[in-house]
Amino acid sequence: MEHTLDPADWTAFRALAHRMVDDTLDHLASLRDQPAWRPMPEEVRTALSGPLAEPQGATAAYEDFLTYVRPYPNGNLGPRFWGWVQGNGTPLAMMADMLASALNPHMAGFNQAPALVELQVLEWLAELMQMPKGTSGILTSGGTVANLIGLAVARHAKAGFDVRELGLQGHAQPLLTVYCSTEAHGWARRAVELLGLGNAALRRIRVDGDFRMNVDELRDAVARDRRDGHRPICVIASAGTVNTGAIDDLPAIADLCREEDVWFHVDGAFGALAMLSPNLRSRVAGVERADSLAFDLHKWGYLPFEVGCALVRDAEAHRAAFELKGSYISALDRGVIAGGLPLAERGLELTRGFKALKVWLSLKAHGAEAIATLIDQNVAQAEYLARRIKAEENLELAAPLALNIVCFRHRGSDALNREILMRLQEEGVAVPSGTTIDGRFALRVAITNHRSRLEDFDVLVDAVKRIGAQ
Amino acid sequence: MEHTLDPADWTAFRALAHRMVDDTLDHLASLRDQPAWRPMPEEVRTALSGPLAEPQGATAAYEDFLTYVRPYPNGNLGPRFWGWVQGNGTPLAMMADMLASALNPHMAGFNQAPALVELQVLEWLAELMQMPKGTSGILTSGGTVANLIGLAVARHAKAGFDVRELGLQGHAQPLLTVYCSTEAHGWARRAVELLGLGNAALRRIRVDGDFRMNVDELRDAVARDRRDGHRPICVIASAGTVNTGAIDDLPAIADLCREEDVWFHVDGAFGALAMLSPNLRSRVAGVERADSLAFDLHKWGYLPFEVGCALVRDAEAHRAAFELKGSYISALDRGVIAGGLPLAERGLELTRGFKALKVWLSLKAHGAEAIATLIDQNVAQAEYLARRIKAEENLELAAPLALNIVCFRHRGSDALNREILMRLQEEGVAVPSGTTIDGRFALRVAITNHRSRLEDFDVLVDAVKRIGAQ
């Protein structure tokens, strides 16, 4: 008699699975009554440390999850979470993740429907971003890898030699240089480090008063590098910086890149999603001109982690950067491997999960317009919050409002503002995060939350005033 | 009145969610009655192409999934799938993925229970791999990224200069060289390309008759590179090659690496899991000596995609290679960000999903011994299949059986064997894959399947004989 990890008793397992669904939906439907965050008691830390004990069965393990894990997450499910830039997830996408895990297809490609689902989703996303038909792409774990893929394609396309074969080691080649603003996200540094370009080859261009890259300085930097014998390969523009939501002058940077024959990469982690809204599209105009574009569906697309996307205008350049050479997998013209592994030739992984299903089901069920409506709503909420802050004597905006991120301070020291932030979280009122703007600490409210209501921002402002006055 | 992506009618959504669970469990409980794989009709291809239509609601979208997607995956759920190296997934882990998606924590770190769950899982895995306490690690999308992380740490630790800051560009530095066998998986090439080392810096050492790296040739290659002024930084050993399951002489390679001050990386994608079995552990002895070790839980751990793991013996070296510098995220000593983002300083991503939950729940519920029992069972099945093949006049083994991969041929041409493979799949009998061994095509049965029974291998052998005779 063989062993298996399937349930010995399917009926009992079915009952447990239904209980998990009920518990979870009860939890999600009652988020508004739960604290925005709560600290972990010491007993939780104790329970979640130590060696593996004897097997306890599925029900007891699940009950440990209910006791020790579910009550103590970082908080992004709730209506008053605006920390960093995190989406909530949705109930439908959660069930899609269950279906994806159950079907468990290997998403390198293969002659199967799930691969077609991802290809279809990528076409939809390219269309929503107004990129041309034939644009290539890949779903990723998130923005960092999507951006890394864009930069890897840029490196391969613009190096001027076979960078995959030769690497960057010890050649009498010019230095390959990359450009971003001082407000660009930390992924840019990680990407140039990983790719062997090195942090020293990443030129950080200063920003203007609106935290947008100074395009004249960018032009000068490119020219200076050329004069010094270097080879500028890529400019990274931001559609929504992480600190303030600033949007670089994408059309001007796109023009410059075309003139200079430099790759135009856009990091649109959350901001690119504004392309879905007719009301906001003009603010991110130029996204559609990207040679490569990275964005997340798990931020302003409201889907659960993980799902980001890289789109690459030149499909051949995309494939050339990741094509499998000398692979052990030889395609046949019939059967499971017919058609090869095209999705493994667009990014890092050979083995990939079915992230595409939650995007596919959500877009089919809700439509892109439902997401656009919520993006509009979040921007309107940011404007409302900014108005409330301006109207308060003891509060001030710390940066111009560009899209959906409101940075503000209580009048007083950095220490006071830090204390306000920590108390907001510890009391379970709300979860903004903190950042440093012009050398001073500020509270940062990044609104990518489909559960927030206007009243939630009143709760925030009132609590900040109350704590500030104490 | 605000919009949201939560259901307008929670009761109706709950009914749909329960239906999804019932449908899915019915599907999983009846896998043995379904074909091992089936080709997609043209109408499926048509339905899964074309632009985004009007929103159809969750139920209709789900029904499209049932009609067009679920019947046509690549087949790895079923009991007679032995293609490439793919796990089945388990019902419990599928529900864990639902719970993870529902809770949706941001797994960069943060002051939250889900981060403790991942840290605990990493400790358990290090212990199962018999690596020392204090070993660092990170869960990844799979083997490619886990291996890439190992190699990135090796590059940083052994370059002899600040590779993150300076990159590999144009220095008067020695060439950094990396070593693997000719049977190593294609990730190694992708990793050296991505890291800017270049394919030319990857030395491919020949294998012996058992497809194991020739350690004398490795020693010579390292010495030759040193004589030529290069700097050997890393040897990649395989614990279970993808073609034949061969296990390199890990202790000998570990000794050589120690003598030569070279990083010892082990790719144990599936083979490292044999460490869980007291019966098999001696075959992969030396895994525990790795400076960095990569393996997948979604292969021989039977969990659904995606979950791999990188373990790094020197926690400080691990962190030094990925530490966030100049990050926009400043830690506070209380609240959600207290403790910082340690998991973001161990790999590629800042935003990460809760892959850890399915590992945690599965290990707690089933125990590591249940996995070990199934690994033993798979190895016994491989031995059974090899015996059956040896006993058949028209069949022959194409490589020695090292662990769980059986490569064999029907006597006759490569074309005949290719045809046999495609018919096995098209008829829905079974899904082996194909490979090339010593220049000839072979059928390859990689057994990482908790649903296979001995009788399934009889079905395979009988079908190969029948098709071969036709």
Side-chain angles (χ1 to χ4, degrees), chain B residues 384-420:
Chain B
Y384 175 80
L385 175 60
R387 282 198 302 274
R388 279 230 44 190
I389 287 163
K390 282 186 203 162
E392 292 290 340
E393 198 180 349
N394 289 324
L395 303 182
E396 59 179 7
L397 288 182
L401 172 59
L403 203 57
N404 62 329
I405 297 183
V406 181
C407 295
F408 70 101
R409 298 188 187 93
H410 195 285
R411 291 189 202 277
S413 66
D414 281 5
L416 171 67
N417 280 284
R418 281 203 189 88
E419 185 64 26
I420 290 171

Side-chain angles (χ1 to χ4, degrees), chain B residues 107-108 115 117-127 129 131-140 145-146 149-150 153 291-295 297 308-319 322 341-348 352 356:
Chain B
M107 293 294 285
V117 168
E118 179 157 347
L119 293 171
Q120 187 172 34
V121 160
L122 290 166
E123 274 186 33
W124 293 348
L125 293 173
E127 194 185 339
M129 292 298 157
M131 289 182 73
K133 228 176 154 52
T135 293
S136 179
I138 188 80
L139 297 181
T140 69
V145 170
I149 287 171
V153 180
D291 289 314
S292 52
L293 169 65
F295 57 96
L297 281 311
C309 181
L311 295 176
V312 181
R313 175 179 303 267
D314 179 342
E316 193 37 55
H318 190 186
R319 183 165 182 274
F322 287 102
L341 305 176
L343 294 168
E345 303 196 297
R346 298 182 179 192
L348 307 184
R352 311 172 59 245

Side-chain angles (χ1 to χ4, degrees), chain A residues 163-239:
Chain A
V163 71
R164 291 182 60 177
E165 181 60 27
L166 301 174
L168 296 160
Q169 297 199 75
H171 303 293
Q173 301 286 355
L175 187 77
L176 310 182
T177 52
V178 177
Y179 306 79
C180 66
S181 87
T182 52
E183 289 288 301
H185 188 281
W187 72 261
R189 178 173 186 158
R190 179 165 277 174
V192 293
E193 289 176 357
L194 276 169
L195 292 172
L197 296 161
N199 182 50
L202 181 62
R203 309 326 198 186
R204 290 172 177 83
I205 310 298
R206 287 185 300 181
V207 293
D208 63 19
D210 290 332
F211 299 95
R212 293 153 52 107
M213 192 191 296
N214 186 317
V215 181
D216 288 335
E217 290 201 13
L218 171 64
R219 183 175 287 109
D220 290 347
V222 169
R224 192 167 49 245
D225 276 330
R226 288 213 197 279
R227 275 199 310 273
D228 291 348
H230 306 325
R231 185 179 176 101
I233 58 167
C234 182
V235 177
I236 297 165
S238 299

Side-chain angles (χ1 to χ4, degrees), chain A residues 2-6 13-14 18 20 22 24 26 37 40 45 49-52 55-57 61 64 68 72 74 76-77 86 88 91 94-95 97 99 101-102 104-106 110-114 120 124 141 144 155 164-165 167-169 176 185 189-190 193-200 242 298 304-306 322 324-325 328 332 334-336 344 347-353 355 361 364-365 373-374 377 418-419 422 425-426 450-451 453-454, chain B residues 2-6 13-14 18 20 22 24 26 37 40 45 49-52 55-57 61 64 68 72 74 76-77 86 88-89 91 94 97 99 101-102 104-106 110-114 120 124 141 144 155 164-165 167-169 176 185 189-190 193-200 242 298 304-306 322 324-325 328 332 334-336 344 347-353 355 361 364-365 373-374 377 418-419 422 425-426 450-451 453-454:
Chain A
E2 272 98 345
H3 297 273
T4 172
L5 289 170
D6 281 337
F13 184 81
R14 190 178 294 249
H18 283 295
M20 288 172 170
D22 281 329
T24 299
D26 289 346
W37 180 76
M40 277 183 283
R45 294 184 187 277
S49 59
L52 185 56
Q56 57 189 141
D64 279 353
Y68 298 116
Y72 307 103
N74 64 311
N76 55 316
L77 292 183
Q86 304 181 15
N88 305 102
M94 161 195 101
M95 292 310 297
D97 274 340
L99 296 171
S101 183
N104 195 33
H106 185 291
F110 295 106
N111 189 2
Q112 60 170 341
Q120 187 171 35
W124 293 348
S141 58
T144 296
R155 184 187 68 161
R164 291 182 60 177
E165 181 60 27
L168 296 160
Q169 297 199 75
L176 310 182
H185 188 281
R189 178 173 186 158
R190 179 165 277 174
E193 289 176 357
L194 276 169
L195 292 172
L197 296 161
N199 182 50
V242 68
H298 60 213
F305 305 125
E306 304 169 342
F322 288 101
L324 296 167
K325 294 180 179 180
Y328 74 102
L332 300 170
R334 287 154 37 213
V336 184
L348 306 184
E349 288 103 351
L350 180 61
T351 300
R352 309 171 62 244
K355 296 167 161 54
L361 269 183
K364 279 169 69 75
T373 299
L374 283 156
Q377 177 170 295
R418 282 202 189 89
E419 184 64 26
M422 289 188 285
Q425 297 179 357
E426 287 173 326
H450 71 83
R451 295 188 172 117
R453 300 177 187 161
L454 276 189
Chain B
E2 271 100 344
H3 298 273
T4 174
L5 290 169
D6 281 337
F13 184 80
R14 190 178 293 247
H18 283 294
M20 289 173 170
D22 281 330
T24 299
D26 289 346
W37 180 78
M40 277 183 283
R45 294 183 187 278
S49 59
L52 186 55
Q56 57 189 140
D64 280 354
Y68 299 116
Y72 308 103
N74 64 311
N76 56 316
L77 291 184
Q86 304 180 17
N88 305 104
M94 161 195 103
D97 273 341
L99 297 170
S101 183
N104 196 35
H106 185 291
F110 295 106
N111 189 1
Q112 60 169 341
Q120 187 172 34
W124 293 348
S141 58
T144 295
R155 185 188 67 162
R164 291 182 59 177
E165 180 60 27
L168 296 160
Q169 298 199 76
L176 310 181
H185 189 280
R189 178 173 186 157
R190 178 164 277 174
E193 290 177 356
L194 276 169
L195 293 172
L197 296 161
N199 182 50
V242 68
H298 60 213
F305 305 125
E306 305 169 342
F322 287 102
L324 296 167
K325 294 180 179 181
Y328 75 101
L332 300 171
R334 286 153 40 211
V336 184
L348 307 184
E349 288 103 351
L350 180 61
T351 300
R352 311 172 59 245
K355 297 167 162 52
L361 269 182
K364 277 168 70 75
T373 300
L374 284 157
Q377 178 170 293
R418 281 203 189 88
E419 185 64 26
M422 290 188 285
Q425 297 178 357
E426 287 172 327
H450 70 84
R451 296 190 171 116
R453 300 177 186 162
L454 276 188

Side-chain angles (χ1 to χ4, degrees), chain A residues 169 194 196, chain B residues 147-161 163 167-168 173-180 187-188 191-193 195-198 201-203 218 221-223 225-226 229-237 253-254 256-266 291-292:
Chain A
Q169 297 199 75
L194 276 169
Chain B
N147 280 304
L148 175 64
I149 287 171
L151 202 56
V153 180
R155 185 188 67 162
H156 188 258
K158 297 295 185 187
F161 59 95
V163 70
L168 296 160
Q173 302 286 356
L175 187 76
L176 310 181
T177 53
V178 177
Y179 306 80
C180 66
W187 74 261
V192 293
E193 290 177 356
L195 293 172
L197 296 161
L202 181 62
R203 310 324 198 185
L218 171 63
V222 169
D225 276 330
R226 288 211 197 280
H230 306 325
R231 185 180 176 100
I233 58 167
C234 182
V235 177
I236 298 165
I253 297 171
L256 177 63
C257 286
R258 195 170 42 197
E259 287 160 28
E260 295 282 346
D261 190 24
V262 165
W263 191 270
F264 176 46
H265 176 80
V266 176
D291 289 314
S292 52

Side-chain angles (χ1 to χ4, degrees), chain A residues 390-445:
Chain A
K390 282 186 203 163
E392 293 290 340
E393 199 179 348
N394 289 325
L395 303 183
E396 60 180 6
L397 288 181
L401 172 60
L403 202 58
N404 63 328
I405 296 182
V406 181
C407 295
F408 69 102
R409 297 187 188 96
H410 195 286
R411 288 188 203 279
S413 66
D414 280 6
L416 171 68
N417 280 283
R418 282 202 189 89
E419 184 64 26
I420 290 171
L421 177 62
M422 289 188 285
R423 293 243 194 123
L424 285 170
Q425 297 179 357
E426 287 173 326
E427 293 178 7
V429 174
V431 182
S433 53
T435 191
T436 303
I437 294 181
D438 295 334
R440 291 179 59 202
F441 187 82
L443 283 79
R444 180 163 153 281
V445 173

